[in-house]
Amino acid sequence: MSIPIATTIESIRLAVSAARGQGRRIGLVPTMGALHEGHASLIRLAASKVDWVVVSIFVNPTQFAPGEDFDRYPRTLEADAALCADAGASAIFAPNPREIYPKPLLTWVEVDELGKHLCGPSRPGHFRGVATVVLKLFNIVLPDVAVFGAKDAQQLRIIQRMVIDLNVPTLIEVGPTVREADGLALSSRNRYLSLAERSAAPGIHRALHGIRARVAAGETDAERLRSALEAELIAIPGARVDYASIVDDATLQPIAKIEAPALAAVAVVLGKTRLIDNITLP
Ligand code: AMP
């Protein structure tokens, strides 16, 4: 089975309003393509909540800093379309950058505070680009429900806050992180990894899991947990640790003690590939 691929704002709006005219509720799963089983799980979750799911596939230039992997980001539209159809999507929105950004943007969405820690310092402008393009996609598709992955925890918190602050009438649903059998979180960027990097990469999830075990054993001091996490990540062959943080699960601010739900979140660079992952605590 194949599904329609709209490349213009006008055509996706027409398709969405036809579906809405038939009484369908609309879901949106925003992605950058190079889809994998993690994306498929979000599409299935959306399809379990609403009757008509749009998957957007857009490698968004405004969320990449100069020198990041915008140009080499994998683009695999044909395979993506098959995965979307299999997972229960009804349409794909795959615009090119000129369609989304016909003029240089003068209007941006910035979600203060939540962008300051974790990935914020090493990816300046990233979350502003994400929040802005997600609001544009919401305004184009007008979804009742939009689904995001817990793997991108900071992005998720930012979108959740944006819809509250700006009264966006879309319900945000969250899908759990889908992993390989060895624990590595699925990511479109995993295909950049060399064989040696790929075999080292599950160490990231092992390190996060180790921290959860320490919390289960009674450790509550966030700095001791953080330095143990960092030490385990540094020990991964070829890894450079961008950050290893223990933060409040809701505010993403660093904490001193594990008292309320918390998040252990990391970014690790293996070769040229930056991987992020997180685990909730306790
Ligand atoms: P991306 O295409 O990487 O921008 O991701 C699109 C959506 O898929 C985001 O909401 C991500 O959080 C989500 N996602 C990415 N990887 C995974 C995964 N391994 N499991 C579940 N969701 C994921």
Side-chain angles (χ1 to χ4, degrees):
M1 196 190 63
S2 73
I3 55 175
I5 302 180
T7 58
T8 65
I9 293 169
E10 193 189 357
S11 57
I12 193 66
R13 278 193 168 141
L14 274 174
V16 168
S17 58
R20 205 179 276 292
Q22 296 166 352
R24 308 270 171 83
R25 293 181 75 236
I26 309 299
L28 174 66
V29 182
T31 80
M32 299 205 300
L35 301 182
H36 50 64
E37 187 50 35
H39 298 111
S41 72
L42 303 187
I43 298 167
R44 286 193 293 268
L45 176 60
S48 75
K49 304 279 174 190
V50 298
D51 344 83
W52 211 83
V53 175
V54 179
V55 179
S56 63
I57 296 179
F58 181 57
V59 185
N60 173 36
T62 65
Q63 70 189 66
F64 288 79
E68 290 188 349
D69 57 345
F70 175 73
D71 289 324
R72 70 183 182 113
Y73 198 86
R75 286 156 172 93
T76 59
L77 186 57
E78 215 172 296
D80 291 351
L83 179 144
C84 289
D86 271 0
S90 294
I92 292 170
F93 178 46
N96 68 34
R98 270 188 318 280
E99 182 72 9
I100 298 297
Y101 300 110
K103 304 176 183 193
L105 276 196
L106 299 181
T107 309
W108 295 92
V109 180
E110 291 249 23
V111 182
D112 290 343
E113 300 305 322
L114 290 174
K116 280 200 180 139
H117 298 287
L118 308 182
C119 291
S122 46
R123 302 197 71 189
H126 171 69
F127 290 115
R128 173 179 98 148
V130 169
T132 303
V133 81
V134 168
L135 188 62
K136 280 163 81 64
L137 291 167
F138 284 2
N139 285 334
I140 291 165
V141 175
L142 303 175
D144 298 286
V145 171
V147 181
F148 293 84
K151 169 165 175 278
D152 295 82
Q154 192 172 16
Q155 161 175 296
L156 172 65
R157 299 298 180 286
I158 286 171
I159 300 301
Q160 287 171 321
R161 186 57 185 251
M162 176 186 80
V163 303
I164 292 171
D165 286 353
L166 299 182
N167 305 94
V168 179
T170 296
L171 182 71
I172 306 300
E173 294 278 355
V174 182
T177 301
V178 176
R179 298 177 180 282
E180 302 281 5
D182 59 15
L184 176 63
L186 297 192
S187 164
S188 305
R189 290 188 167 101
N190 289 351
R191 68 188 72 194
Y192 298 153
L193 298 172
S194 70
L195 274 179
E197 290 159 1
R198 174 64 188 82
S199 64
I204 299 170
H205 180 245
R206 268 201 304 279
L208 287 166
H209 223 76
I211 293 307
R212 185 185 266 173
R214 282 174 195 251
V215 173
E219 177 64 272
T220 60
D221 184 89
E223 179 48 32
R224 273 205 295 270
L225 291 165
R226 198 204 62 75
S227 55
L229 177 59
E230 189 174 55
E232 286 208 36
L233 294 172
I234 289 170
I236 296 172
R240 183 173 70 70
V241 180
D242 182 6
Y243 64 80
S245 301
I246 310 288
V247 295
D248 181 86
D249 185 62
T251 66
L252 303 185
Q253 303 299 310
I255 51 174
K257 271 209 165 327
I258 310 283
E259 288 161 334
L263 197 71
V266 303
V268 172
V269 182
L270 278 172
K272 288 187 171 153
T273 307
R274 187 172 175 283
L275 300 175
I276 59 171
D277 202 349
N278 66 79
I279 199 166
T280 51
L281 303 173

